[in-house]
Amino acid sequence: MKPIFKKASFLFTGVILGSSVLAQTPDTSYIKPFSGSDAFRTWSIGVNGGLLTPYTIFRGREDFLHPKAEFGYGVFIKDQIIPSFGIQANFLKGNVSANNSASGAFASYKTDLKYAVDISGSFTLANISWMHKKDVIQPYLTAGFGLSAYQPTFTSATGVTTTVDHNIKNGYIPVGIGLKINLTPDVNLDLGYQVNFVDGDNLDGYNYGTTNDKFSYAHAGLEFALGSRKKPQLATHNPVASMRSEYLMDEQRLQLQADAEKTNNEQLRRDLDATRNDLNATKNDLKKFTVDSDGDGVPDFFDKCPNTPSGTKVDGSGCPLPVNKPNNVKVYVTEQDRAIVKEAIRNLEFDFGKATIREHSFPSLQKVAQLLVEKGFSLKLAGYTDNVGSVSANLRLSKDRAEAVKTYIVSQGADASHIQAEGYGKSHPIASNKTAKGRQINRRVEFTLF
């Protein structure tokens, strides 16, 4: 096997082994659309090796008829500006050779390429797609301008070998094509072909014809991304697919929000239906406590003297009061009387959504009834609710609760004609209805003693 092909084989084997060692799960990090460059890795370095030859795909009149392939190698550093464009600095070194000059004056030449350095723009293709979040393969094009230094050695037809005694320096234009394969989030396999147009006709040390010399470089290598491994490479980032992912995530979030609101609305509807049913049941329960057939102010349920004549003053049990009860005694409301009323207000509680008085409220109400019987006070009851439910339902409930308090106090012997019961619904709140504690405070019956 020729030495040049041995070198190429070793290079290809090294690239394959390197990709196998470094292979791992591809980077799938999500980057929010329109993120700045600091969200990506933009800098990278690369090494490559391959074949240098004066033969190119741009055929023309050649100084030597039989080009040969020689080994070359190079390195580069690149800054990716946007996903589709980056700028890189390249270094290339190696040999270029051929046999049999077109004029027949020379048998062969071999040029030692001391260096070829250039600045090139790299245009990445096919990484803009709706379908793929990240493309594994990125084709690219490169073009730039550089400076080369080389030293030709040529052999005449008679076998005389001559080496140019100084380095020749010329500018050149590199134009390339290739593709990169993402082996890992950090490493890319770089396969490329580059044609270098020399600004001169002396790459082979032989000025012949009117065209400038050129040479090609077919290479394989590895590119290593620099920076934090938590960030993806900008060159492999697909901004269009990123915007599509953002749109799909927003759509999913909106759908989840809509589903949650629908569930909440259904639960509220069920709660309102349950409250309405409870209010209707309470209303039916209260009917038997509010029917007053003889109009004496004492419901039939508590009236021990039914069919009392109209206008007759009765006691809490519905029986007529003695007509000789003195009415000229003037009684005053004392602080002790007010304390009894405040205690009754503080201890008064109802079942939720109903006008049913809880048992622990009875002792305080009995004291109020006793106060009305003993001193002949009048009492105004004003019922209120929180803001849960409709206006009409709250008005009924507040009225029913005030009537329930009146009914109980009358059952303890108080004069029904001295007790006024009104309902005001959710008006005049004394606390915020936005909290459970505030709503509990607003569900009340106010006592006014006079």
Side-chain angles (χ1 to χ4, degrees):
M1 180 180 293
K2 296 181 179 180
I4 184 61
F5 293 108
K6 288 183 179 180
K7 293 178 181 179
S9 299
F10 290 149
L11 172 65
F12 182 75
T13 302
V15 169
I16 297 301
L17 290 176
S19 64
S20 300
V21 171
L22 295 170
Q24 52 181 279
T25 303
D27 184 16
T28 58
S29 300
Y30 170 73
I31 301 297
K32 190 175 182 64
F34 308 110
S35 297
S37 59
D38 56 349
F40 303 90
R41 284 187 284 179
T42 60
W43 287 93
S44 61
I45 59 174
V47 295
N48 52 64
L51 302 179
L52 285 168
T53 174
Y55 178 85
T56 71
I57 59 174
F58 301 100
R59 301 298 296 161
R61 183 175 180 181
E62 307 294 341
D63 294 350
F64 284 79
L65 303 180
H66 298 121
K68 297 173 64 179
E70 299 282 354
F71 180 73
Y73 61 90
V75 296
F76 68 84
I77 183 170
K78 184 178 73 169
D79 181 18
Q80 194 73 25
I81 308 301
I82 58 175
S84 58
F85 178 74
I87 296 177
Q88 65 184 55
N90 301 286
F91 172 84
L92 177 62
K93 183 175 177 58
N95 297 308
V96 180
S97 65
N99 295 331
N100 193 5
S101 65
S103 64
F106 298 98
S108 65
Y109 82 92
K110 185 173 184 178
T111 296
D112 180 9
L113 184 62
K114 301 292 186 181
Y115 64 81
V117 292
D118 65 79
I119 299 294
S120 296
S122 178
F123 301 86
T124 304
L125 310 176
N127 64 343
I128 305 298
S129 169
W130 291 107
M131 303 304 296
H132 303 95
K133 292 183 178 179
K134 178 182 175 183
D135 294 309
V136 177
I137 299 177
Q138 291 90 37
Y140 66 86
L141 299 173
T142 60
F145 179 80
L147 177 67
S148 62
Y150 47 86
Q151 186 178 32
T153 297
F154 48 90
T155 302
S156 67
T158 60
V160 178
T161 299
T162 303
T163 299
V164 176
D165 61 359
H166 64 280
N167 290 335
I168 301 173
K169 296 181 179 180
N170 265 323
Y172 72 100
I173 297 176
V175 177
I177 187 173
L179 57 87
K180 292 181 180 179
I181 302 173
N182 308 132
L183 302 178
T184 76
D186 310 298
V187 182
N188 305 320
L189 175 62
D190 182 12
L191 304 175
Y193 177 78
Q194 177 178 303
V195 177
N196 302 280
F197 297 88
V198 181
D199 186 23
D201 189 26
N202 54 5
L203 178 67
D204 50 14
Y206 176 45
N207 290 308
Y208 179 75
T210 59
T211 59
N212 290 341
D213 289 336
K214 51 187 176 293
F215 65 96
S216 64
Y217 178 48
H219 64 271
L222 296 175
E223 178 183 26
F224 303 89
L226 304 178
S228 173
R229 298 193 65 189
K230 296 180 180 179
K231 299 179 181 180
Q233 299 182 52
L234 181 57
T236 63
H237 179 60
N238 186 345
V240 176
S242 182
M243 287 190 290
R244 178 175 182 270
S245 297
E246 182 74 8
Y247 167 78
L248 293 176
M249 287 190 293
D250 285 342
E251 184 180 39
Q252 185 178 17
R253 283 194 291 266
L254 289 174
Q255 185 61 51
L256 291 174
Q257 183 179 352
D259 292 342
E261 290 179 355
K262 181 179 179 181
T263 301
N264 290 337
N265 291 337
E266 291 176 350
Q267 183 61 44
L268 286 174
R269 191 178 298 109
R270 288 192 293 269
D271 292 343
L272 288 174
D273 290 342
T275 301
R276 187 179 297 109
N277 293 334
D278 289 341
L279 289 174
N280 292 334
T282 300
K283 183 178 179 180
N284 294 331
D285 291 340
L286 287 175
K287 284 182 179 180
K288 61 182 179 180
F289 296 104
T290 58
V291 176
D292 183 10
S293 301
D294 55 9
D296 60 0
V298 179
D300 293 350
F301 185 81
F302 301 104
D303 199 341
K304 297 180 179 179
C305 300
N307 303 318
T308 302
S310 177
T312 302
K313 292 184 178 182
V314 297
D315 59 16
S317 61
C319 295
L321 291 170
V323 296
N324 59 349
K325 185 175 181 180
N327 295 320
N328 56 352
V329 180
K330 194 170 186 178
V331 182
Y332 297 92
V333 179
T334 66
E335 289 300 324
Q336 184 179 3
D337 299 334
R338 292 189 178 92
I340 292 174
V341 173
K342 288 181 180 179
E343 181 183 4
I345 295 174
R346 185 169 56 252
N347 294 333
L348 181 60
E349 288 188 8
F350 298 88
D351 290 340
F352 178 74
K354 299 180 180 180
T356 305
I357 303 172
R358 294 183 176 176
E359 290 185 2
H360 69 266
S361 302
F362 292 159
S364 299
L365 293 177
Q366 290 169 2
K367 292 180 181 180
V368 174
Q370 184 179 359
L371 187 64
L372 297 182
V373 171
E374 291 177 355
K375 294 191 176 183
F377 290 144
S378 294
L379 180 66
K380 180 180 179 181
L381 302 171
Y384 298 90
T385 66
D386 57 24
N387 66 344
V388 178
S390 65
V391 174
S392 59
N394 283 326
L395 283 173
R396 289 194 301 271
L397 179 59
S398 63
K399 174 67 172 176
D400 292 340
R401 285 179 171 175
E403 289 288 349
V405 174
K406 175 181 176 180
T407 299
Y408 183 80
I409 293 177
V410 169
S411 72
Q412 301 303 308
D415 187 353
S417 64
H418 288 188
I419 302 175
Q420 178 185 356
E422 298 292 340
Y424 298 96
K426 59 184 178 181
S427 62
H428 308 300
I430 60 174
S432 173
N433 279 310
K434 294 182 179 180
T435 64
K437 183 177 181 181
R439 291 192 293 272
Q440 180 181 359
I441 295 174
N442 288 331
R443 297 191 293 268
R444 68 194 188 281
V445 176
E446 294 182 352
F447 291 53
T448 303
L449 191 65
F450 60 95

